Amino acid sequence: MAFDIDMIKKVYSRYPERIAVARQTVNKPLTLSEKILYTHLWDGNATEEYPRGNSYVNFAPDRVAMQDATAQMALLQFMQAGKKKVAVPSTTHADHLILAKDGAVADMARSNHTNGEVFDFLSSVCDKYGIGFWKPGAGIIHQVVLENYAFPGGMMIGTDSHTVNAGGLGMVAIGVGGADAVDVMAGMAWELKMPKLIGVKLIGKLSGWTSPKDVILKVAGILTTKGGTGSIVEYFGEGATSMSATGKGTICNMGAEIGATTSTFGYDDSMRRYLTATDRADIVEAADKIAEHLTGDPEVYANPELYFDQVIEVNLDTLTPHLNGPFTPDLATPVAEMKVAAAKNGWPTDIEWALIGSCTNSSYEDLSRAASIVKDATSKGVEAKAKLGINPGSEQVRYTAERDGLMDIFNSLNGTTIFTNACGPCIGQWDRAGADKEEVNSIVHSFNRNFKKRADGNPNTMAFVTSPEMVAAIALSGKLDFNPLTDTLTNKEGEQIKLAVPTGDELPKRGFDVEENGFQAPAKDGSAIEVKVSETSDRLHLLSPFKKWDGKNIMGAVLLIKAFGKCTTDHISMAGPWLKYRGHLDNISNNCLIGAVNAFGKESNKVKNQLTGKFGEVPATARAYKAAGLQSIIIGDHNYGEGSSREHAAMEPRHLGAIAVIVKSFARIHETNLKKQGMLGLTFSNEADYDLIQEGDKFNFTDLVAFATGKQLTVELIHTDGSVNTIMVNHTYNKAQIEWFRFGSALNLIKSQA
Ligand code: MIC
Ligand code: SF4
């Protein structure tokens, strides 16, 4: 039986009426995305049409998901909101903090020891406030959510950008910062700008070496890392219905890499099969009663140009495997072109490590298809040239794969390590031997992100994203440019061997099984439970509120850093070794912007201190300004804050005294995070004004006292030679968000109302 089936049935029971009203209001056939949005309006039935890409709308999500690295800050904030229990079903998943090194058993034991304090905190805070806790080893948040909580037509938010994975089961699932999660858990509305809609029509059918991963690698190549910003991507067509639910999850998962608000698919047989196999036939029964509402209207899919803001068509019949990278997930190279591309760009083709896993590709189907390649190769006497590392997505997947012999197949290959059911190398929790030598090298993995330094901390590791099947083939060949469709491998006898095309099981033939799934149900009444945070801990620290705005114009703020080029959340608040401070704002602030490249001098973590004229690290310089009572300013390029939902990327600058971030454009989640934490997230009205910012600049916000919705702000740039440029900046603050700024943070506002 499904968790929270009563909640799901309640959601479904209001579908027919709410959709009928929405259809009348909007007065045209509806996409699936619109159906889910309009059935989740905070105020009930639709009373007006919300222009896409324009109006802020209040929604009522059905559930909240959090992972250990973001939940610490989310729950520290929730503890301040003055509530007894969460208002909607919520879960926390311990997956990000487990370091991959020697293999699952040793790694798990080590992690329980090093992270014990944080796991205990999460376990007790969840217990107290009615939140389900999936213990370390239970699996990666998005795989566990897909297996247990996602349901067609539902709306969920999660404190992780890959929450969107649940679109594989037809949800609108959206990644947010912890402060947004706090709103929903505290029983308040959740606000989102009405997304635009991108329709992706999948024609043909996947076959041979091509997998769902290649669909999204292709789409990422078309749309780039910011092409999906502010949009929901809705997939449809024969190619959509013919692929598995977990394959759909893979596609939706990496929608985060194109900046999409989320991605989704209509309810179909693949979802029925997956729900049934994961012991949720009760959802199928309920969903079938309203099946017509759980997918887009036929008129929409027949003439998508009339209903979507943009339509893309991908032909699965002609699609081939892709490898995307290095350093950005949208640099797409079809496998047949890799030899030329690698030679042209100087990408090393020798591969030492090939990794399968992450929330993107760690399903049973993924493992079974990769295993088929390994089995074929070993039976033909081929040995691996690279090391293969595998992180299964959940204990249920791992246990079942073990029972069915898949793990034996992997283990029969020389150089394979099975890591924990956790994020591991995907988030830099990987103790890769030799990484500190910073050698130039390439790796391949089935993850979603490949930003610099992400997997092993080495800035010279070039990571290429590809399907699990391709990762397995490349592990065998040891070559980035190996094309299994055409190339051969040499076996132990010196014979040339061609790999058979991958085969696999969408779902385990004998059903899923698990002994200990790792779930901890919360106490019915948690009021007596005490949440312990030691005052001397360097991992956890209770929050103190940010200062309220004094109501005056900001004058004489100093430039902290003008970031050059790509500045993702990994550049602003690096993960890997820093994950351990996710519950301690002051300590984690020591990584603030250390990865960002300073536009002056083009070095990282080296900025000019305007007080001393000397160069220093970004966090230390910010602290010096703060100590001197100065507010500071961050300047950035396009798509600033791309990547993660981690609100630390907004809280750290705030904590260190930065007050405004002015950029050419923002990634959605990060912009909201800045607003929530009481900062000014602003964009140049004239992009070229970025070039006016000089190293020793001071900033005056001369009309901040008149901060209002839809009205530009004026900023004076005072250069060191005394000259002044006056520029205009745009903002997207609505009335409520301006209140967050006034109060110093959204949380301050909640508290003042409690
Ligand atoms: C990631 O993939 O970058 C993460 C780690 O899962 C983040 C969340 C985090 O920073 O904790 C995300 O994608 O939101
Ligand atoms: Fe974990 Fe990687 Fe997925 Fe983020 S992208 S949730 S780090 S597996």
Side-chain angles (χ1 to χ4, degrees):
M1 197 176 93
F3 283 94
D4 308 304
I5 185 69
D6 293 338
M7 175 272 280
I8 296 170
K9 285 189 178 155
K10 212 163 126 200
V11 172
Y12 286 171
S13 71
R14 60 179 201 236
Y15 249 82
E17 185 192 322
R18 287 218 184 164
I19 288 198
V21 176
R23 212 188 287 288
Q24 250 174 19
T25 315
V26 174
N27 197 21
K28 63 172 181 55
L30 296 172
T31 59
L32 168 64
S33 311
E34 288 165 303
K35 290 182 186 181
I36 301 178
L37 294 170
Y38 278 103
T39 50
H40 286 84
L41 295 175
W42 177 257
D43 293 324
N45 283 341
T47 51
E48 58 178 302
E49 179 177 357
Y50 297 104
R52 307 202 289 239
N54 229 318
S55 45
Y56 283 100
V57 185
N58 282 333
F59 291 102
D62 303 316
R63 56 179 318 123
V64 173
M66 291 164 283
Q67 40 87 343
D68 50 1
T70 49
Q72 297 173 57
M73 205 45 93
L75 294 171
L76 285 166
Q77 292 178 81
F78 183 75
M79 285 167 70
Q80 294 200 18
K83 304 282 168 184
K84 280 216 163 92
K85 223 178 156 93
V86 289
V88 302
S90 305
T91 51
T92 297
H93 304 256
D95 55 358
H96 280 61
L97 296 178
I98 306 166
L99 185 78
K101 185 170 182 238
D102 304 313
V105 174
D107 293 351
M108 197 61 243
R110 185 180 335 98
S111 176
N112 275 331
H113 178 68
T114 52
N115 298 306
E117 177 186 5
V118 173
F119 294 150
D120 288 348
F121 164 73
L122 290 174
S123 161
S124 65
V125 79
C126 288
D127 206 15
K128 180 170 181 69
Y129 293 110
I131 302 168
F133 181 53
W134 289 80
K135 294 184 265 189
I140 307 174
I141 172 170
H142 311 301
Q143 183 69 33
V144 174
V145 165
L146 201 69
E147 283 173 9
N148 294 281
Y149 300 114
F151 64 98
M155 180 187 260
M156 173 174 71
I157 60 165
T159 61
D160 188 283
S161 62
H162 294 105
T163 303
V164 295
N165 190 69
L169 269 183
M171 277 196 124
V172 158
I174 302 182
V176 297
D180 282 48
V182 170
D183 287 352
V184 175
M185 292 190 295
M188 300 180 353
W190 174 69
E191 181 189 79
L192 178 76
K193 195 185 271 176
M194 195 65 171
K196 291 194 180 160
L197 300 176
I198 299 177
V200 179
K201 182 171 185 181
L202 302 178
I203 56 174
K205 196 167 185 275
L206 292 171
S207 64
W209 280 90
T210 313
S211 74
K213 181 73 154 212
D214 300 304
V215 175
I216 186 62
L217 294 179
K218 171 86 186 169
V219 170
I222 298 170
L223 284 174
T224 78
T225 53
K226 53 178 200 288
T229 306
S231 303
I232 297 185
V233 184
E234 183 168 326
Y235 291 85
F236 59 95
E238 51 178 352
T241 44
S242 65
M243 70 175 74
S244 66
T246 50
K248 292 178 171 79
T250 297
I251 294 175
C252 293
N253 181 297
M254 268 197 77
E257 276 47 66
I258 54 170
T261 301
T262 191
S263 309
T264 194
F265 282 83
Y267 180 51
D268 67 9
D269 282 338
S270 73
M271 299 185 191
R272 290 186 179 92
R273 290 193 296 272
Y274 185 74
L275 286 165
T276 308
T278 49
D279 200 18
R280 289 174 290 170
D282 46 352
I283 298 186
V284 176
E285 199 192 313
D288 279 344
K289 293 192 187 129
I290 55 155
E292 63 181 295
H293 300 315
L294 299 176
T295 187
D297 285 342
E299 296 88 330
V300 169
Y301 294 156
N303 289 299
E305 309 72 30
L306 300 179
Y307 303 100
F308 291 98
D309 298 292
Q310 183 182 354
V311 178
I312 296 171
E313 200 173 276
V314 178
N315 184 348
L316 305 189
D317 289 335
T318 54
L319 186 68
T320 59
H322 278 58
L323 295 109
N324 286 23
F327 304 132
T328 184
D330 57 351
L331 184 55
T333 306
V335 61
E337 292 166 29
M338 189 41 108
K339 284 191 176 57
V340 175
K344 190 174 127 216
N345 295 295
W347 299 331
T349 52
D350 283 342
I351 296 286
E352 191 197 358
W353 271 102
L355 303 157
I356 293 175
S358 97
C359 55
T360 335
N361 278 109
S362 53
S363 65
Y364 185 88
E365 183 180 36
D366 288 328
L367 293 189
S368 75
R369 284 176 63 88
S372 81
I373 314 236
V374 172
K375 188 172 176 189
D376 177 53
T378 44
S379 74
K380 292 172 177 167
V382 176
E383 289 192 318
K385 301 276 180 336
K387 290 178 225 155
L388 180 63
I390 299 174
N391 287 87
S394 70
E395 175 57 12
Q396 173 161 277
V397 164
R398 191 210 61 79
Y399 187 92
T400 311
E402 169 126 54
R403 180 202 65 191
D404 294 349
L406 303 183
M407 293 305 178
D408 286 342
I409 295 175
F410 289 124
N411 283 323
S412 72
L413 189 71
N414 58 307
T416 297
T417 313
I418 309 291
F419 296 119
T420 45
N421 313 317
C423 303
C426 179
I427 191 53
Q429 289 285 26
W430 184 24
D431 189 347
R432 178 183 178 187
D436 51 337
K437 289 191 217 130
E438 303 207 342
E439 281 164 355
V440 177
N441 77 105
S442 297
I443 61 172
V444 287
H445 61 56
S446 72
F447 313 161
N448 39 38
R449 293 197 172 141
N450 53 357
F451 304 140
K452 208 171 240 187
K453 292 192 190 174
R454 183 170 167 100
D456 61 3
N458 172 1
N460 301 317
T461 293
M462 302 190 194
F464 292 82
V465 180
T466 191
S467 65
E469 296 88 320
M470 281 293 295
V471 173
I474 291 177
L476 292 159
S477 69
K479 286 283 177 195
L480 174 67
D481 54 357
F482 175 69
N483 181 355
L485 284 85
T486 54
D487 299 350
T488 53
L489 298 170
T490 313
N491 73 2
K492 284 183 271 186
E493 273 77 55
E495 299 156 344
Q496 292 304 300
I497 296 299
K498 193 138 185 269
L499 290 174
V501 295
T503 55
D505 292 322
E506 175 188 317
L507 294 162
K509 290 199 185 70
R510 292 162 55 203
F512 280 109
D513 204 357
V514 67
E515 224 158 51
E516 171 46 73
N517 68 2
F519 177 67
Q520 169 192 297
K524 284 235 154 53
D525 175 4
S527 49
I529 294 168
E530 205 192 324
V531 180
K532 284 198 199 95
V533 176
S534 150
E535 273 185 26
T536 55
S537 171
D538 71 338
R539 300 280 307 258
L540 293 162
H541 192 254
L542 296 178
L543 292 169
S544 29
F546 291 130
K547 262 211 345 242
K548 260 180 106 157
W549 178 45
D550 63 7
K552 299 195 188 121
N553 286 332
I554 294 171
M555 304 299 276
V558 289
L559 179 70
L560 175 60
I561 183 171
K562 176 174 172 179
F564 174 79
K566 210 175 183 63
C567 192
T568 71
T569 42
D570 279 359
H571 296 82
I572 307 172
S573 175
M574 196 192 173
W578 290 92
L579 284 178
K580 69 169 180 280
Y581 296 123
R582 283 290 184 85
H584 196 300
L585 182 55
D586 192 53
N587 282 350
I588 198 163
S589 293
N590 289 331
N591 81 356
C592 185
L593 283 157
I594 61 176
V597 176
N598 184 359
F600 309 104
K602 304 282 187 310
E603 283 183 72
S604 299
N605 204 17
K606 191 173 167 195
V607 291
K608 191 168 185 173
N609 179 331
Q610 295 195 20
L611 298 169
T612 60
K614 294 205 180 104
F615 285 86
E617 298 185 341
V618 182
T621 309
R623 286 186 196 275
Y625 293 149
K626 187 178 174 183
L630 290 171
Q631 291 185 302
S632 57
I633 308 293
I634 296 159
I635 302 292
D637 209 305
H638 273 299
N639 211 17
Y640 181 89
E642 162 190 354
S644 157
S645 65
R646 61 190 77 141
E647 61 200 327
H648 304 77
M651 296 179 91
E652 293 174 27
R654 177 82 169 103
H655 175 67
L656 296 182
I659 190 64
V661 181
I662 311 176
V663 299
K664 292 183 186 169
S665 62
F666 280 111
R668 174 189 61 86
I669 306 178
H670 186 64
E671 181 178 14
T672 309
N673 285 344
L674 289 170
K675 291 178 177 176
K676 287 245 141 153
Q677 302 302 336
M679 290 191 62
L680 292 170
L682 309 168
T683 52
F684 293 106
S685 141
N686 174 13
E687 270 178 26
D689 288 349
Y690 173 91
D691 299 326
L692 295 176
I693 313 291
Q694 297 175 15
E695 196 164 22
D697 278 0
K698 296 208 162 50
F699 298 74
N700 295 336
F701 292 76
T702 53
D703 51 9
L704 190 61
V705 288
F707 191 17
T709 300
K711 190 174 161 290
Q712 290 185 321
L713 291 172
T714 312
V715 182
E716 287 175 358
L717 312 175
I718 319 288
H719 307 303
T720 40
D721 63 2
S723 65
V724 177
N725 284 113
T726 302
I727 65 168
M728 302 307 293
V729 292
N730 298 332
H731 70 81
T732 60
Y733 287 72
N734 60 23
K735 263 182 136 168
Q737 295 169 343
I738 290 177
E739 287 305 292
W740 302 343
F741 174 71
R742 285 181 182 285
F743 276 79
S745 73
L747 188 60
N748 286 354
L749 181 63
I750 300 185
K751 276 171 42 185
S752 77
Q753 291 163 344

